[in-house]
Amino acid sequence: MSARQWKQERPFLGSILTLLSGALILWVPLNLIVKAFLPGTVSVIGILFGGLVLLIGIMALFFPQFSKVFGIVAIFLSILSIVGALGGFLVGTLLGITGGSLMVAWSPPAADRGTDEQPGEATDDDLYIPHKMVQAK
């Protein structure tokens, strides 16, 4: 299997954008790791959400059949990361929303049907053509 074929069989661009989003979301709370576990701080939430977004990006590469679910969860967590990590300065949130949307919109490539016809081609039998109708005399 070639690298190009491997990339086409999974939501590659959406996963990469989600991975970048998770890294940006994690960057803010990891810089505050010393204060993250003090009472009253919400940076633990940022670490949790950023880690989950990273995990979703990785899992979408290995389990492409669940890309729609992963995309929805990535969008949800990216928006919620604004609370605990400032959303990676909002750039992480925007990348997460974009990557999750691409994962939701991705569909697996069509399998070869073994026929000569292209899936979008229509034959004369499929079309309604008024000038070919037989008129009664």
Side-chain angles (χ1 to χ4, degrees):
M1 176 184 294
S2 68
R4 176 175 280 179
Q5 185 181 6
W6 184 83
K7 282 172 46 176
Q8 289 177 350
E9 291 178 354
R10 42 205 27 72
F12 188 74
L13 184 59
S15 298
I16 296 300
L17 289 177
T18 305
L19 286 169
L20 287 172
S21 168
L24 283 172
I25 291 169
L26 267 176
W27 186 73
V28 173
L30 285 181
N31 284 328
L32 303 171
I33 194 73
V34 176
K35 298 177 183 177
F37 297 105
L38 292 175
T41 60
V42 292
S43 13
V44 174
I45 295 172
I47 293 171
L48 178 69
F49 288 165
L52 285 173
V53 170
L54 264 174
L55 182 65
I56 286 171
I58 292 169
M59 289 181 64
L61 285 173
F62 292 107
F63 301 106
Q65 63 269 25
F66 301 116
S67 67
K68 294 195 184 331
V69 174
F70 290 149
I72 292 169
V73 173
I75 292 169
F76 182 68
L77 288 175
S78 296
I79 293 171
L80 286 179
S81 72
I82 294 173
V83 173
L86 294 174
F89 297 117
L90 295 180
V91 175
T93 298
L94 293 176
L95 283 174
I97 291 171
T98 306
S101 300
L102 287 173
M103 283 195 283
V104 169
W106 179 81
S107 61
D112 292 332
R113 294 186 176 93
T115 61
D116 293 337
E117 287 184 19
Q118 296 294 332
E121 290 182 7
T123 61
D124 286 341
D125 298 333
D126 297 336
L127 299 175
Y128 170 71
I129 304 173
H131 69 274
K132 286 192 174 183
M133 291 178 51
V134 178
Q135 296 179 356
K137 290 186 180 183

